[in-house]
Every structure is written in structure tokens, then in C-alpha cells.
Amino acid sequence: MLRLIGCEHVASIGVVARERIYLERNGVVAQTLATPQTQVSWDVLYEAVASHIASGHYVLSRTVERVSDGPNGATIRFSDGTSEEADLVIGADGVGSVVRRAVNPDNYTNSFAGYAAWRGLIPETALPEGAGLLLERFAFYVAQGVHVLGYLVPGPRGEMAKGERRYNWVWYRKVPAGELAGLFTDRSGKRFEFSLPRGGLSDDRRDGLRRDAFDVLPPQFALAVAAEDAPSIQGIFDYEAPRMVGGSIALIGDAAFVVRPHTAMGVSKAAGDVLALQRHIAAGSELRPALAHYESERRPIGEEIAAYGRRLGASAL
């Protein structure tokens, strides 16, 4: 997909983890696997792709409230009272998709998986010396009810030299459904629906996270957690669209299937949806058969990845 849109160079901006290691609670390496892999920079990827969208075709500050489907077009209604007609509406609006409701009016809500991912992203130079074992590797600690991992990624502008990269850690923690509202409420009292962005965590909650880290994690990971001043929180949800298409609507990415981050397939799944949709529309003269072919190709793939993510989640927590 990057090659098709003129962004192939982005695929070369990454940091190679030469091996995977699994730690014991005391920080000793329990297992080493020679499975090198490359971690890319999300900010560089996003900015490179976004730069190829003509400004006149990308409109901000207009909230979509509802989409109505029809056999010969769809209507997008905005919160300011205006509306737009389109031959085809592509719902690429993620975990909180508004568009999916037009295609699946009886089944459009996400299901909470019972846990959340606390995330940190720090300059590698901020990682204490005692956590140096984590560098250049994809590291894990998995125990009953505990799952944490971490790896290096490029710097914010794609820097790949040592000392200019960033360390990314993810700590999955179980959360009762009744505590989600509080989990996603920031220090000012603003509540978010699916996550808590960086900077939203109060000092008391951050300090509590650090204490918990030293209580249950290997010392290297505890030091990495403590080095992050502004952790974010991502709720883990599941969703499988009964239908990916309507008469004049197609769903792609997380609007159609919300898969767990353990799969590391969210972006590639969405890219696969896009490529398939483009191919089927270009191959025929009629929209509805093209949408049907798109759904028949991509729905089984979405179902398979979603099931894989649930299996990984069950094995890790």
C-alpha cells in the first residue's frame, strides 16, 4: 500500500529488535528467541500518508452525527445541521465508528475485553541504566494476570541512531467494567469513551502505577514504567461487524473489526481492506456487486484475526 501511494520509503524507517526475551519476575532472562523484527514509527507513518491527502479533500471540525444508507447513495449528516450526499461512504472511523451503525443498526457497539493497556513512550536516554537489558530487544514478562512488553521505535521524526530513538512499553492490566468510566476520566474531570490520552493521568494515579510496577514487574520494566511521566491508557475492546457493506457504504479497519493489539495487525488489516475495496471497485462497473465481492473476501480475514486476538488475550492474562 505504501508503494502504491508513493510512501514506500516509510517502510525503511524502523528499529530492528534482534531477538525476543522473556523475563522472570526477578529480571533474569528465562528464554531467548532469535526472531528479529522491525518496529516502525507510527508518527512518521501517519504524517507521510496524511501528507498525500490534498487539503481540499480533508475537512476538519465537522462532526459526523449519522449516516443514512440507500441503494443509490448515502447521506452524511453533521452536528452543525448540514449534510452531504455521496455515491459511496467509506466508514474508516475506527473503534468509535458512527458509520457502522448505518450498516448494522442492531449490532454496532464494542464489547469490553476486561482489561486495558497502559502505555509509555520515552526517549531511550530516559531509560535508567538498570533497564539497559531491554534495549535492542523485544522483551516480555508474562505471569498469571500480568502481561508487559517493550521495544524500541524510531524517534518522532524517524530518527534511528542510538540515543535518538524511543522506548515503547505496554502493560496489560485487568479492569472491572464498572471502573472504566473512572479509568478514562482525566485530571480535569473530562471523560473519554475508549482511552485516556497522554497528559490526562493525575499525579496520584501515576504514582500508584509506579508503585504497582515495582510490586509486580521485573525491575527492568518497573524502571521503564517509572521513567514515563505521562502514560496513556487504551481500553481493549472487541467488535465484529455482522455486515461490512450496505447499499452505498463500506466499512474498513476498526470500524468493521476491532482486534486486540496483541495481534499487531490493526494497521495491516485496514490496509488490506483498502486494497481489496479499491481492487473490486476498479474491476467492475456496478458498485453493489463490487461491495459484495469486497465483503466476501475481507470478512473471513477479519473474523480470523479477531479470533486470534482473543486467543492471545486469553493466554496472556
Side-chain angles (χ1 to χ4, degrees):
M1 186 177 187
L2 291 172
R3 184 179 302 114
L4 284 174
I5 63 176
C7 294
E8 187 176 7
H9 68 283
V10 175
S12 65
I13 301 174
V15 178
V16 177
R18 65 176 184 267
E19 60 190 11
R20 287 190 173 204
I21 60 171
Y22 290 81
L23 301 179
E24 299 281 8
R25 169 66 180 84
N26 61 6
V28 172
V29 177
Q31 185 180 24
T32 301
L33 300 175
T35 53
Q37 67 183 76
T38 301
Q39 294 78 237
V40 302
S41 171
W42 171 248
D43 13 27
V44 173
L45 173 63
Y46 182 90
E47 290 174 9
V49 174
S51 70
H52 282 61
I53 302 174
S55 59
H57 296 279
Y58 196 81
V59 181
L60 298 172
S61 301
R62 293 183 72 190
T63 302
V64 177
E65 281 196 339
R66 182 163 54 93
V67 176
S68 301
D69 192 22
N72 299 307
T75 302
I76 306 172
R77 303 188 189 281
F78 299 93
S79 58
D80 61 5
T82 62
S83 63
E84 298 279 356
E85 305 290 330
D87 296 324
L88 172 65
V89 170
I90 299 173
D93 48 342
V95 64
S97 175
V98 174
V99 182
R100 73 161 72 126
R101 185 171 185 173
V103 180
N104 301 287
D106 298 322
N107 185 350
Y108 58 87
T109 58
N110 305 291
S111 298
F112 177 54
Y115 58 103
W118 293 65
R119 293 180 173 271
L121 185 64
I122 58 176
E124 68 173 309
T125 53
L127 200 64
E129 184 176 341
L133 176 68
L134 302 176
L135 297 175
E136 315 300 342
R137 300 174 172 89
F138 205 117
F140 294 83
Y141 173 62
V142 182
Q144 183 63 40
V146 182
H147 184 193
V148 62
L149 60 127
Y151 47 85
L152 283 167
V153 297
R157 291 177 295 278
E159 299 91 340
M160 294 184 287
K162 288 185 178 181
E164 298 180 355
R165 304 166 299 183
R166 294 170 294 178
Y167 188 75
N168 180 73
W169 57 260
V170 184
W171 182 7
Y172 296 104
R173 310 180 74 196
K174 291 186 176 181
V175 181
E179 296 181 8
L180 276 184
L183 188 71
F184 299 149
T185 300
D186 72 9
R187 60 172 68 228
S188 69
K190 181 179 179 180
R191 179 179 171 183
F192 298 83
E193 190 170 3
F194 302 111
S195 61
L196 186 72
R198 289 179 65 88
L201 201 66
S202 68
D203 292 347
D204 288 346
R205 293 174 66 192
R206 181 202 60 203
D207 293 344
L209 177 72
R210 291 173 173 174
R211 288 192 296 270
D212 291 346
F214 283 102
D215 285 343
V216 303
L217 299 182
Q220 298 93 335
F221 274 123
L223 288 169
V225 170
E228 173 59 85
D229 288 328
S232 61
I233 310 174
Q234 172 194 4
I236 308 302
F237 296 90
D238 295 310
Y239 178 74
E240 296 185 43
R243 300 171 60 213
M244 292 183 71
V245 302
S248 304
I249 294 176
L251 303 178
I252 68 168
D254 287 357
F257 287 89
V258 177
V259 301
R260 303 193 189 182
H262 316 293
T263 66
M265 292 184 186
V267 174
S268 57
K269 175 175 63 66
D273 290 346
V274 170
L275 293 174
L277 181 61
Q278 179 205 39
R279 184 175 67 255
H280 289 299
I281 290 176
S285 58
E286 298 292 332
L287 178 61
R288 298 198 74 166
L291 294 182
H293 291 315
Y294 161 70
E295 182 176 49
S296 66
E297 176 184 337
R298 295 302 298 177
R299 181 171 170 73
I301 295 172
E303 291 174 341
E304 182 179 357
I305 297 173
Y308 176 52
R310 290 193 297 271
R311 290 195 303 272
L312 290 175
S315 68
L317 286 169

